[in-house]
DNA sequence: CCCACTTGTGGACATCGTACACATGGGCAG
DNA sequence: CTGCCCATGTGTACGATGTCCACAAGTGGG
């Protein structure tokens, strides 16, 4: 998993000094720095020179690993998407552990709701990363990219699909309603997330936001 | 309505030369130029120097009318929001003119659906302006701002609220479901718009996008 | 008629992305 | 073990952007 890393010494400011000429893991270091920048400030805060500075390297060194700033931003975006996937998975695990032993249908329903709840939680807790994850430059089918997957190897989109399949298997969703259902559910949840992150619902208290999320998921269950 | 405008002469490139020392309507000219930039390229394409260039003025002149680039972008964003409102109003007018003479309930329902359809049409036809309209810097309650209103004096958010009131008046929506309903509807439609504009649904054919929109609005009517 | 206030100009600076030539040294061929 | 190659990091430079400051030019009110 881990790569050979050149000796690194902390320095005065954010800059990292290193003893070896080679960095050893620059690409990862740049993505990591980019994530930190994106966390506070969103995609536009992912500045190439700032990332290289934090990695203790000259700006141009980035070009050995990324074609341009856009490529770096894209890598950061994928990493942010992976974090979203992990948050969703964590929410599912948490929900599954809570109630003693519900029937299979209730479990499938809980898994479905956890997908949306986790999505919304990530949007609130990490608005910068959320916006970065969905900052799509040019044309893209990122949802299928493995670099956007979480611990289970599934991307956010795939997690949603699996949860919907679970609803069908347990008779909670008619089979003829299944096709295209991910886009209905995703639209509603993503829309609320957008309104919470940088729309008129920004600044809602976490509890209020949670309630709003449950309402939206209620609507999805009724209307899907 | 129109202000005194200094004589303006077309020049070689996008630059506009003028005969008078004063421009006469720089603020509007800058917003107009900003809209053009935003149309192709979204919010990040609203570059202060480019806007002043198109207005035939030196970059610093913008600072007589806007505190900084952010203020200009905000004005452009409000203007884009107003255009969204106009598109929604146009969609409502068109729908109202189509069928011969439906009953009041059907009309209310059509008005409601037109809100969403117009919203989605604008997102597809003017993705750059759509993204700019929802590019909200800092904290903001733009939905209530009059500069974001369309021809009827209503902002997009207010148009939605009025349509929902219409549903209640005609018994199509239980009164106890009314509170907060705008956020449910808005979330779903806005989410689809986001997926269409720069998400995985980008590049959908207009007809496919229209169908997806109708499906989402169906879901809202069922689940609201 | 004249002066003050608004609006546009000119020049300067820090920062950013990026191109091109050059330095370095790690690892593989022999 | 030795020497060279090329991946990786450095230096220098350029154009573009946002923004600051001092200055110029009209314009309209007294």
């Amino acid at each position: 998993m881990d790569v050979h890393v050149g000796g690194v010494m902390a320095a005065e400011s954010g800059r990292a000094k290193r003893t070896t000429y080679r960095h050893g893991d620059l690409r990862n270091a740049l993505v990591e720095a980019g994530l930190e920048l994106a966390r506070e400030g969103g995609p536009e805060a992912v500045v190439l020179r700032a990332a290289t500075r934090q990695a203790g390297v000259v700006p141009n060194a980035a070009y050995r690993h990324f074609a341009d700033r856009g490529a770096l931003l894209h890598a950061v975006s994928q990493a942010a998407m992976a974090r979203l996937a992990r948050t969703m998975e964590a929410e599912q695990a948490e929900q599954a552990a809570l109630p003693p032993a519900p029937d299979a249908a209730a479990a499938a329903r809980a898994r479905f709701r956890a997908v949306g709840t986790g999505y919304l939680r990530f949007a609130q807790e990490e608005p910068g990363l959320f916006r970065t994850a969905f900052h799509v430059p040019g044309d893209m089918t990122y949802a299928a990219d493995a670099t956007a997957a979480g611990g289970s190897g599934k991307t956010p989109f795939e997690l949603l699909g699996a949860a919907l399949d679970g609803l069908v298997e347990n008779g909670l969703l008619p089979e003829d309603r299944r096709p295209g259902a991910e886009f209905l559910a995703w639209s509603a949840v993503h829309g609320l997330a957008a309104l919470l992150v940088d729309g008129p619902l920004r600044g809602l208290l976490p509890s209020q936001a949670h309630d709003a999320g449950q309402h939206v998921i209620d609507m999805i269950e009724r209307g899907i």
Side-chain angles (χ1 to χ4, degrees), chain A residues 197-209:
Chain A
V197 165
D198 50 21
L201 266 47
R202 169 177 23 197
L204 231 56
L205 297 177
S207 64
Q208 297 175 308

Side-chain angles (χ1 to χ4, degrees), chain A residues 30-52 66 68-77 80 128-129 131-133 135:
Chain A
L30 289 176
V31 171
E32 215 63 28
L35 276 173
E36 189 52 43
L37 293 169
R39 165 173 292 119
E40 39 196 57
E44 54 270 23
V46 179
V47 169
L48 190 147
R49 290 177 102 109
T52 57
F66 300 98
D68 55 10
R69 182 197 113 109
L72 168 60
L73 181 52
H74 181 239
V76 174
S77 168
L129 292 184
R131 284 174 44 218
T132 304
H135 176 91

Side-chain angles (χ1 to χ4, degrees), chain A residues 161-180:
Chain A
L164 284 167
D165 288 342
L167 291 185
V168 172
E169 287 163 16
N170 290 90
L172 294 173
L173 176 65
E175 223 169 316
D176 60 328
R177 276 252 153 79
R178 176 64 184 80

Side-chain angles (χ1 to χ4, degrees), chain A residues 39-103:
Chain A
R39 165 173 292 119
E40 39 196 57
E44 54 270 23
V46 179
V47 169
L48 190 147
R49 290 177 102 109
T52 57
R53 233 172 283 144
Q54 188 149 15
V57 113
V58 101
N60 282 341
Y63 288 87
R64 298 297 172 189
H65 301 273
F66 300 98
D68 55 10
R69 182 197 113 109
L72 168 60
L73 181 52
H74 181 239
V76 174
S77 168
Q78 292 289 100
M81 187 72 79
R83 297 214 177 181
L84 167 58
R86 283 182 195 283
T87 298
M88 291 165 67
E89 288 165 358
E91 184 74 25
Q92 285 191 323
E94 194 178 323
Q95 289 296 339
L98 259 196
D103 59 305

